[in-house]
Amino acid sequence: MEKSSFFNSVSGDRVYRAEEWAEYFASFIGNGVFPVPSTSLQVVAGSGMAVAVKTGKAWINGYFYYNTSDLPVTLATADGVLNRIDRIVVRWDLTERKISVAVKSSAPATSPIAPALQRDADAYELCLADVLVGAGVTAISQANITDRRLDGSLCGVVAGVVDQIDTDAFNAQLEAWFADYKEMSVDEFNDLVSYMESLELLGDQQYAALEAYMNDFKTDAENDFNAWFATLQNVLDEDAAGHLLNLIQNNTARIEMLEAVLFNDITTNPFLILFDDLDGVTATGVWNAALQRIEC
């Protein structure tokens, strides 16, 4: 059957339905999210179990969708022991005759799988984001939200004419880079932690070694002093001390006699100097044999 459009109606002979207009627009505008602004229909974390779909526009099968303000979406309560994935979609619903945001939840599981998109004659869905709802969580963080807008197989970006931009390769490359960067960052962080722990361990070992060295030095010093002091005590017993005192007194007496001879201006004879012994004494003068004396 041949079809053509659109012409003016004459007496009501040209009546066009919405489907025909949608078919017309779909022929040169592909499905997806409008790329301007870059946050168009982006899913962001809200408060508690809520997320928000940012303002933006989408195009599905020739039909136009426009979210004029941030749209809050509250997710169901998390399972107590299992995880799930909530897929945030923009759904074109021919039966309901509208396009709206909806949430599709996977079955709870240890490793859940995102629910499939419906794309048939009755409904067509674009995935905006996947949200990982962990077991027992009470709030959604941005880290749990995976943006799917650039994935051409799930959503894609609107482009004219005829088809949308193929963002599959770009999205795959971006996700691969992010995965590599994340893995590298984790490895570098673990290396840094290991290095810091090794420094801490080395510091503890060196401090313990220094502490042991100082304790040994203190003990050795105390032992050396005590040994020296004990030796000194053995040398300076009562007999040794008394002997030293006698020597000092004898030397003092002899020094006094020498001073008397040398410094008291003795010039007349006779005079007498007595010595206990002659150890260390050197005398000069004239020997008087008759009187048995040295005369100075």
Side-chain angles (χ1 to χ4, degrees), residues 184-198:
M184 182 176 62
S185 298
V186 171
D187 291 341
E188 290 182 351
F189 175 77
N190 291 335
D191 290 343
L192 178 61
V193 171
S194 299
Y195 175 70
M196 295 300 294
E197 290 177 347
S198 66

Side-chain angles (χ1 to χ4, degrees), residues 33-46 50-58 65-73 88-90 100-101 128-129 142 145 147 149:
V33 174
F34 283 86
V36 179
S38 61
T39 58
S40 179
L41 299 183
Q42 180 185 11
V43 178
V44 297
V51 297
V53 179
K54 305 288 289 183
T55 182
K57 303 172 183 178
Y65 172 76
Y66 185 19
N67 178 37
T68 60
S69 61
D70 291 357
L71 178 67
V73 178
I88 312 300
V89 303
V90 175
S100 59
V101 169
L128 301 178
Q142 194 63 37
I145 301 175
D147 195 331
R149 292 175 301 159

Side-chain angles (χ1 to χ4, degrees), residues 254 257-258 273-283 287 294:
R254 297 173 71 178
M257 289 181 183
L258 290 173
I273 298 176
L274 301 176
F275 297 97
D276 289 339
D277 55 59
L278 296 179
D279 293 340
V281 177
T282 301
W287 172 248
I294 297 174

Side-chain angles (χ1 to χ4, degrees), residues 47-51 72-80 82-88 102-108 131-141:
S47 177
M49 295 298 292
V51 297
V73 178
T74 301
L75 306 182
T77 303
D79 187 86
L82 297 174
N83 306 319
R84 77 167 189 269
I85 294 177
D86 283 356
R87 175 159 277 183
I88 312 300
V103 179
K104 305 183 70 172
S105 297
S106 72
V131 182
L132 176 62
V133 181
V137 301
T138 58
I140 300 299
S141 68

